[in-house]
Amino acid sequence: MAIHLKMKKMGIKSSKNYGKWVAEPQKQGDVTTEELARRISENATFRPSEVQGILMELVEQMRMAMQDGYTVVLDDLGRFHLSVEADAVDEPDDFNIQQHVHRVKCKFVAATHRQRDGSATCPLSDGTQIMMQPYYYQDEETDKYVFRRRGKMRSW
């Protein structure tokens, strides 16, 4: 399986790429916790319900650790921590939590491994194949819709 890219015209006027075409991954849908549990159970001795229970407990333990101020590190996945979106003030004494904090956000930084040549690899994206999104177009001569694959596949 590969990630399919589609071309999208940039419509943000303040962007330096306004009016240019950029590649954007085409989403294929969602994979739920239930589906992940089923897939994991196929490669393990656990039942899907047991895996789902473990995943739900993982989320709860992560939430509690982050709310206690810790960064949660999941090897080969990444780091999770909480952050706040807040207004800046001129002096520290001017800051008021109720007035200046707007929300708490969960931040994620994907795990990376530094290579000898100085480059970094990400376990979550290693081995990903990329190709252009297949599409249909109307053939001018036959007036029929034709399926076309665009470009070659590339692996990362």
Side-chain angles (χ1 to χ4, degrees), residues 9-22:
K9 193 168 192 174
M10 276 297 249
I12 302 171
K13 291 184 179 183
S14 61
S15 170
K16 67 178 182 175
N17 291 324
Y18 176 71
K20 294 182 181 180
W21 292 87
V22 294

Side-chain angles (χ1 to χ4, degrees), residues 4-5 13 22-24 28 35 54 57 68 73 76 81 83 89 98 101 112 118 130 138 140-143 149:
H4 292 101
L5 300 178
K13 291 184 179 183
V22 294
E24 180 179 270
Q28 302 301 320
E35 174 62 16
I54 291 168
E57 184 61 25
D68 285 340
V73 180
D76 287 343
H81 70 276
S83 170
V89 294
Q98 279 74 27
V101 175
T112 56
I130 301 173
Q138 192 168 7
E140 293 177 8
E141 293 178 15
T142 64
D143 206 32
R149 279 196 190 277

